[in-house]
Amino acid sequence: MCFSGLTETEIKAIYNDAVAVYNEAKAKNLKLNMARGKPSAEQLELAMGVLEALKCRSQFLSENGEDWRNYGIWDGLPEMREIVGNMIDVPASHVILGNNSSLALMFDAISRGVTHGYNGCKPWGKLDTVKFLCPVPGYDRHFAITEYFGFEMINVPMNEDGPDMDIVENLVENDESIKGIWCVPKYSNPTGITFSDEVVRRFARLRPAARDFKIMWDNAYCVHDLTDTPEKLLGIYQEAEKYGNEDQVFIFASTSKISFPGAGVAALAASEKNVKALKKHFTTSTIGPDKLNQLRHVLFLHDINGVKELMKGHRAILEPKFRKVCEILEENLGELGIAKWNMPNGGYFINVDVMKGCAKRVVKLCKEAGVVLTDAGATYPYGKDPGDSNIRIAPSFPPIEELEMAMKLFCVCAKIAAVEKYLNI
Amino acid sequence: MCFSGLTETEIKAIYNDAVAVYNEAKAKNLKLNMARGKPSAEQLELAMGVLEALKCRSQFLSENGEDWRNYGIWDGLPEMREIVGNMIDVPASHVILGNNSSLALMFDAISRGVTHGYNGCKPWGKLDTVKFLCPVPGYDRHFAITEYFGFEMINVPMNEDGPDMDIVENLVENDESIKGIWCVPKYSNPTGITFSDEVVRRFARLRPAARDFKIMWDNAYCVHDLTDTPEKLLGIYQEAEKYGNEDQVFIFASTSKISFPGAGVAALAASEKNVKALKKHFTTSTIGPDKLNQLRHVLFLHDINGVKELMKGHRAILEPKFRKVCEILEENLGELGIAKWNMPNGGYFINVDVMKGCAKRVVKLCKEAGVVLTDAGATYPYGKDPGDSNIRIAPSFPPIEELEMAMKLFCVCAKIAAVEKYLNI
C-alpha cells in the first residue's frame, strides 16, 4: 500500500524534497489554525440580521400576555421550538430550548444521570462503575464530558454507515453498567458519514441491559449540507417510538453553526415522559432560558425555510474550502498510499488517516512550522488513538488562501512522517 | 398584643366589616398577582437600549482579535466582568460570567459539589448525609435546589442584622456534614435587611468542621436601593481573604433586575484557586457563555456609573409601590397588633408576619378572591413555616392601582383570619 511501486531511492527523494519545502515554510513563521470547527468571520456575517431583529415593543408579548423579557417559560418560545423541531424531525412539543450551548445541555443530561439517575434507577454517581460507548473517531468534547465524570469509555469502531452495531448491541445488551452512547448521526464529527437507516433502526430497537441507558444523539449538523443532494438521516425519535423505546433517546441540536457559535439557541428533544421529568429539573435549575435571543432567531429565521436559505449561504462559503482541502490532499498524497481521507457531503470536518503511528508526528511537525491542527488522538477517548493515525482537519475558519498554505504544509509533513516511519529514519 | 384594648364585640364588628368587604371584592372577580419578584413592564422599558446596542462590525473583535460572536472565552467579556466586579466589590479577575441566570450558576455550584466535591473532599453525592443551613425566612428557589439534591436543610433564624451567627457558628464548627449556607446578604429576600459588618466578619472568619464548606452569597440586590441612603454591605471577599478563608465563598449576582430578568448577565465570583478549578469545569460543560449579550450590556451600561444611573429609574418606579404597600398596611392593620412588617431600603420584597397560625388562611382567602400571593410557607425549607405566619409581598410587578386593590384585600383577609383564630370561629 504505502509507497507501493517506489524504490527506496525514490522514497528518499520524496523525503528530501519534503524536508526542503518544510524548512522553507518554517522560515516564513506561519500562524495558521485548522484545529477547531469554528465558522469563519465571513459566515458570521450571514446572520447579522439576528442582531437587528428586536425593535418594537409589541413583539415581546406572548399570546397569553407573558413578556419574553421577563422570567419564566422554562421550555422556550413556541415558535423557536417549532423551527428546531423541523430541523431535527421531532414535534415541537418535545423540544426544550436552552441557552447558547447544546454541549451544556449534554453535560447537564449526564450530570443529571450522575446526581439523580433516570427511570427510577440508582443515580450513576452511586455506582462503582459507569461505562459509556464512544464510537471512534468521535467528538473530543463528548469524551471530555464522560471523562470528567469518571466514566469508563469504551471505543466502538465507526464504519461507513455508522458505529459497528454488532459490537454496540452485544455490549449494550449484556452489560448493565453501560449507561449510554455518544452519537453524531449526520455528517459525523469527524468522519463525515451519516448513519444509515438500518443503523438508526438498530439504535431505535436496542434492548439495553441497563434500564437507564441513554442514546446521546447529537444532531449537530442536521441542516449543514455541502451538496445539492443532502444525506437523509432517518428520524430516530419516530423509529424509537415504534419499539416503545423513545424514553431512551436524548436528541440535541443548536443554531451555533447556523447563526452564531457563541450566541445561538440550543435545544434538547425528548419523549413526553422525559419532557415531563425535565420540567422539574429545569424549573429548579434556572429562571428559564434567554427568550429574547430565541425571539431574535424567530424574527430572523421565520421558519424552517429561513434556516434552509441561510444554510445555502454557509454552503457557498464552506464548499470551496472543503474542495480545496481534498484537491490538495489528492495532488500531494494521492498516489503515495500514505493517507486516506473523505470528501464529506456536509458537516465541519475532513477526516484524514495518515500512516499508522504517524499522526502525532505530523501534528507536531505542522505545529513547529506554525500550523495548528486538532491534537492527534483528540478524536479518541482519553486522547489515545490506538493506531496513532487519525487527524481531524477543520477547514471552516481560515480564509481559503491560508487554508491552502496550511494544507500544503500538512501534506509535506505527512510525507516526512511517513518516510521516517517507513525507512525507520 | 393582638386586638389589645378591644372588646369581643368590637373584634366581632371588625370581623363582620371585613367579611362584608371581602364578599364585595370577591364578586369583582379580581385577577391580581403579587407572588413573584418580577420587574414590571414599565421597568423593562428602562433597559431597551440594551437591545439596540449592537450595530457595527468592529465591535465584535476583542483586543486579541477574538470574535465575540464565535466560540470560546469561557469566563466572559473583560469589560462586563469589570462592571459586575464593581457591583459586588470583587476584582474583575475573580468574576466569571455565565448566561442569563445566576440561579443556574448556583445550581451548578451545588451540583458540582455533589458530583466532584470541593477541596479534594469526597463528592457530596457519595456521602450519606449532606446538610445545608437555611436562614429563614429566605428565598424559596435556594431551598428548592438543596431539596432537589436531597440535602437536609436546617433552619437558622434571621435577625435584624443577618442570620443568628451564634447558631451558625455553633452548627458549622461542630458538624462536618454541614456543607454550606444560603445567604442573600443585602436587602435580604424576603426580610429586606442587610447583614451588618459584624455578621459579614463572622462569616468571613468561620472555621467550619467541613473542609468543603461553601458560603453561597447571593448578592442579588447589590445595587437595588430604594432610598438616598443605600445600606452598605461589607465586602465578604476581602474580609474572608484576611482570614485565608476566601476559597469558602461563592458570590453570585446578575443584571436580571437591572436590565432584563430573562435576558440579563449572571456572574459568579470566587477566589483565585476556585477560578482556576472552575476553568476546568466550565470549559468541559459549555462552549462558553453568550458573549454578545454581555457585549450588549457593556455597550449600554458602559461602566458602574451606567448601572447606578439605570437603578435610579428602577427606584423611581419601585419606591412608590413599596410606600403604597406600607401605607395600606399601616392604615388597615396598624393599630390591631395582628401583623408586623418592614419598609425595606431596597430589594424586592416586603415581609409580613401575620398572626401565628394564620398565613395559610390569609393566602387562601386572597386566592379565592383573585389575589395570588407567594404561597404561605414558601419562604421556609420544604414549604413549612413552623409559625405559619410569614407572607412575602412582592410589590414590583402589578401597576400601582392594582397593587392598591390587592393590598386592601390582603388587609381584609388578615383581619378575617386573625379574628377567626382569636375568637376560634
Side-chain angles (χ1 to χ4, degrees):
Chain A
M1 279 282 286
C2 302
F3 300 119
S4 71
L6 297 180
T7 63
E8 191 167 324
T9 317
E10 286 170 320
I11 295 172
K12 276 193 176 151
I14 290 172
Y15 180 75
N16 291 334
D17 282 357
V19 169
V21 175
Y22 181 77
N23 287 333
E24 225 171 278
K26 210 171 167 179
K28 285 185 195 155
N29 289 317
L30 297 175
K31 226 186 141 183
L32 307 172
N33 194 314
M34 289 196 301
R36 290 226 70 95
K38 283 164 77 165
S40 61
E42 198 186 353
Q43 286 174 270
L44 301 183
E45 291 298 315
L46 298 172
M48 289 302 285
V50 168
L51 301 180
E52 284 150 27
L54 283 187
K55 294 278 185 254
C56 81
R57 199 195 146 160
S58 61
Q59 288 168 339
F60 299 108
L61 292 182
S62 80
E63 281 181 12
N64 310 327
E66 286 153 319
D67 193 318
W68 300 134
R69 297 169 298 184
N70 225 317
Y71 291 116
I73 325 287
W74 71 279
D75 49 3
L77 250 71
E79 296 86 346
M80 190 64 201
R81 294 167 70 200
E82 187 76 34
I83 292 174
V84 175
N86 281 318
M87 279 163 48
I88 55 174
D89 294 321
V90 176
S93 59
H94 293 259
V95 174
I96 298 168
L97 302 179
N99 279 320
N100 63 330
S101 169
S102 60
L103 195 77
L105 292 173
M106 294 176 223
F107 182 93
D108 201 39
I110 299 293
S111 184
R112 201 164 47 237
V114 172
T115 58
H116 287 77
Y118 288 112
N119 279 41
C121 298
K122 230 184 202 185
W124 299 342
K126 301 271 188 207
L127 305 176
D128 290 330
T129 310
V130 176
K131 297 177 194 155
F132 232 75
L133 300 189
C134 301
V136 288
Y139 180 31
D140 54 346
R141 300 201 66 161
H142 287 163
F143 305 155
I145 290 173
T146 29
E147 184 174 0
Y148 184 66
F149 284 99
F151 296 0
E152 188 183 323
M153 295 184 279
I154 301 172
N155 293 1
V156 173
M158 276 290 266
N159 297 330
E160 290 298 304
D161 60 348
D164 188 316
M165 291 309 290
D166 291 340
I167 294 178
V168 169
E169 285 164 359
N170 186 39
L171 286 167
V172 165
E173 289 170 9
N174 293 297
D175 186 346
E176 210 191 333
S177 66
I178 296 175
K179 298 303 185 187
I181 183 168
W182 291 112
C183 294
V184 183
K186 193 170 172 189
Y187 304 135
S188 188
N189 176 352
T191 63
I193 63 99
T194 297
F195 292 10
S196 70
D197 292 359
E198 179 54 20
V199 164
V200 173
R201 284 196 192 100
R202 287 173 79 173
F203 267 112
R205 58 176 186 247
L206 268 183
R207 292 283 177 205
R211 279 199 306 120
D212 48 356
F213 181 85
K214 294 290 171 198
I215 300 170
M216 301 287 284
W217 198 255
D218 182 3
N219 203 347
Y221 307 109
C222 50
V223 292
H224 303 61
D225 309 303
L226 291 172
T227 73
D228 285 331
T229 50
E231 290 176 11
K232 184 94 189 93
L233 175 71
L234 193 64
I236 187 152
Y237 187 74
Q238 288 77 358
E239 289 301 314
E241 264 187 327
K242 289 182 192 165
Y243 303 95
N245 282 345
E246 67 274 18
D247 296 342
Q248 222 156 266
V249 191
F250 283 148
I251 303 169
F252 302 91
S254 83
T255 71
S256 284
K257 288 178 176 107
I258 298 172
S259 56
F260 298 120
V265 176
L268 157 63
S271 70
E272 196 181 328
K273 194 179 143 198
N274 284 336
V275 168
K276 222 166 150 182
L278 288 167
K279 181 174 180 179
K280 166 75 182 161
H281 177 82
F282 283 110
T283 53
T284 306
S285 66
T286 167
I287 52 90
D290 181 342
K291 300 175 297 295
L292 291 188
N293 203 37
Q294 295 167 13
L295 182 55
R296 264 179 214 109
H297 279 76
V298 169
L299 294 172
F300 177 66
L301 296 169
H302 301 294
D303 55 27
I304 185 69
N305 293 318
V307 175
K308 286 180 182 164
E309 206 49 48
L310 183 54
M311 293 317 290
K312 284 185 194 165
H314 284 284
R315 176 184 159 188
I317 297 167
L318 288 174
E319 199 192 342
K321 292 185 177 181
F322 276 72
R323 234 184 4 242
K324 179 59 78 187
V325 168
C326 289
E327 275 169 25
I328 294 174
L329 286 167
E330 185 59 41
E331 265 171 42
N332 292 276
L333 304 179
E335 293 176 351
L336 301 176
I338 58 169
K340 280 191 304 182
W341 63 89
N342 64 325
M343 168 67 193
N345 292 319
Y348 261 67
F349 301 103
I350 290 170
N351 190 57
V352 181
D353 284 307
V354 296
M355 195 192 283
K356 237 180 152 182
C358 288
K360 272 194 200 323
R361 177 71 178 145
V362 170
V363 171
K364 188 166 178 256
L365 283 167
C366 282
K367 194 178 174 187
E368 285 169 2
V371 171
V372 178
L373 300 173
T374 309
D375 275 343
T379 52
Y380 283 74
Y382 312 107
K384 285 183 195 154
D385 172 4
D388 186 24
S389 69
N390 190 251
I391 298 175
R392 186 184 82 166
I393 304 281
S396 56
F397 192 69
I400 201 155
E401 53 284 7
E402 290 188 11
L403 190 64
E404 204 169 334
M405 277 193 281
M407 281 310 299
K408 282 182 179 163
L409 186 84
F410 174 86
C411 292
V412 165
C413 295
K415 285 184 205 173
I416 295 173
V419 178
E420 283 174 354
K421 192 87 190 170
Y422 193 71
L423 297 184
N424 216 349
I425 295 174
Chain B
M1 279 278 289
C2 303
F3 301 119
S4 71
L6 296 181
T7 64
E8 191 167 325
T9 317
E10 285 169 320
I11 295 172
K12 275 194 178 152
I14 289 172
Y15 180 75
N16 291 335
D17 282 357
V19 168
V21 175
Y22 180 77
N23 288 332
E24 226 171 278
K26 209 172 170 181
K28 284 185 195 155
N29 290 316
L30 297 175
K31 227 185 141 184
L32 307 172
N33 194 315
M34 289 196 302
R36 290 225 70 96
K38 284 164 78 165
S40 61
E42 197 185 353
Q43 286 175 270
L44 302 183
E45 291 299 315
L46 298 172
M48 289 301 285
V50 168
L51 302 179
E52 285 150 27
L54 284 187
K55 295 277 188 256
C56 80
R57 200 192 144 158
S58 61
Q59 288 169 339
F60 298 108
L61 292 182
S62 80
E63 280 181 12
N64 310 328
E66 286 154 318
D67 192 318
W68 301 133
R69 298 169 297 184
N70 225 318
Y71 291 116
I73 324 286
W74 71 279
D75 49 3
L77 250 72
E79 295 87 345
M80 190 65 201
R81 295 167 70 199
E82 187 76 34
I83 291 175
V84 175
N86 280 320
M87 278 163 49
I88 55 176
D89 294 321
V90 177
S93 59
H94 293 260
V95 174
I96 298 168
L97 301 179
N99 278 319
N100 63 330
S101 169
S102 59
L103 195 76
L105 292 173
M106 294 177 223
F107 182 94
D108 201 39
I110 299 293
S111 185
R112 201 164 47 237
V114 172
T115 58
H116 288 76
Y118 288 112
N119 278 43
C121 299
K122 233 186 201 183
W124 298 344
K126 302 270 188 209
L127 305 176
D128 290 329
T129 309
V130 176
K131 297 177 195 155
F132 232 76
L133 300 189
C134 301
V136 288
Y139 180 30
D140 53 347
R141 300 200 66 160
H142 287 164
F143 305 155
I145 290 173
T146 29
E147 185 173 0
Y148 184 66
F149 284 98
F151 296 1
E152 188 183 323
M153 294 184 280
I154 301 172
N155 292 0
V156 173
M158 276 290 264
N159 297 331
E160 289 297 304
D161 60 349
D164 187 316
M165 291 309 290
D166 291 340
I167 295 179
V168 168
E169 285 165 359
N170 186 39
L171 287 167
V172 164
E173 289 170 9
N174 294 298
D175 186 346
E176 209 192 333
S177 66
I178 297 175
K179 299 302 185 188
I181 183 167
W182 290 113
C183 293
V184 182
K186 192 170 172 190
Y187 304 136
S188 187
N189 176 352
T191 63
I193 63 100
T194 297
F195 292 10
S196 70
D197 291 359
E198 179 55 19
V199 165
V200 173
R201 284 195 192 100
R202 287 174 78 174
F203 267 112
R205 57 176 188 247
L206 267 183
R207 293 280 177 207
R211 279 199 305 122
D212 48 357
F213 181 85
K214 294 291 170 196
I215 300 170
M216 301 287 284
W217 198 256
D218 181 3
N219 203 348
Y221 307 109
C222 50
V223 291
H224 304 62
D225 309 303
L226 291 173
T227 73
D228 286 330
T229 49
E231 291 175 11
K232 184 96 189 92
L233 176 70
L234 194 64
I236 186 149
Y237 187 74
Q238 288 77 359
E239 289 301 313
E241 265 187 327
K242 290 181 192 165
Y243 303 95
N245 283 345
E246 66 274 19
D247 296 342
Q248 222 156 267
V249 191
F250 283 148
I251 303 169
F252 302 90
S254 83
T255 70
S256 284
K257 289 178 174 107
I258 297 172
S259 57
F260 299 119
V265 176
L268 157 63
S271 70
E272 195 181 328
K273 192 178 144 200
N274 284 336
V275 167
K276 221 167 152 182
L278 288 167
K279 181 174 180 179
K280 166 75 183 161
H281 177 81
F282 283 109
T283 53
T284 306
S285 66
T286 167
I287 52 91
D290 181 343
K291 299 175 297 295
L292 290 189
N293 203 37
Q294 295 168 11
L295 182 56
R296 264 180 214 109
H297 280 76
V298 169
L299 293 173
F300 177 66
L301 296 168
H302 302 293
D303 54 28
I304 185 68
N305 293 319
V307 175
K308 286 180 182 164
E309 206 49 47
L310 183 55
M311 293 316 291
K312 285 185 193 163
H314 285 284
R315 175 184 160 188
I317 297 168
L318 288 172
E319 198 192 344
K321 291 185 178 181
F322 276 73
R323 231 179 12 236
K324 178 59 78 183
V325 168
C326 288
E327 274 168 27
I328 295 174
L329 286 167
E330 186 58 42
E331 264 171 44
N332 292 275
L333 305 178
E335 293 177 349
L336 299 177
I338 57 170
K340 281 191 303 183
W341 62 90
N342 63 325
M343 170 66 194
N345 291 321
Y348 261 68
F349 302 104
I350 289 169
N351 190 57
V352 181
D353 283 306
V354 296
M355 194 192 282
K356 234 178 156 184
C358 288
K360 272 193 202 321
R361 178 70 179 147
V362 171
V363 171
K364 189 166 177 255
L365 283 167
C366 283
K367 194 177 174 189
E368 285 169 1
V371 172
V372 178
L373 300 173
T374 309
D375 276 343
T379 50
Y380 283 75
Y382 313 106
K384 284 182 197 155
D385 172 4
D388 185 25
S389 70
N390 190 252
I391 298 176
R392 186 184 82 166
I393 304 281
S396 56
F397 192 69
I400 201 155
E401 55 282 8
E402 290 188 12
L403 190 65
E404 203 169 336
M405 276 193 283
M407 281 312 298
K408 282 180 180 165
L409 187 84
F410 174 86
C411 292
V412 166
C413 295
K415 284 184 205 174
I416 294 173
V419 179
E420 283 174 354
K421 193 88 190 170
Y422 194 71
L423 297 184
N424 216 350
I425 294 176

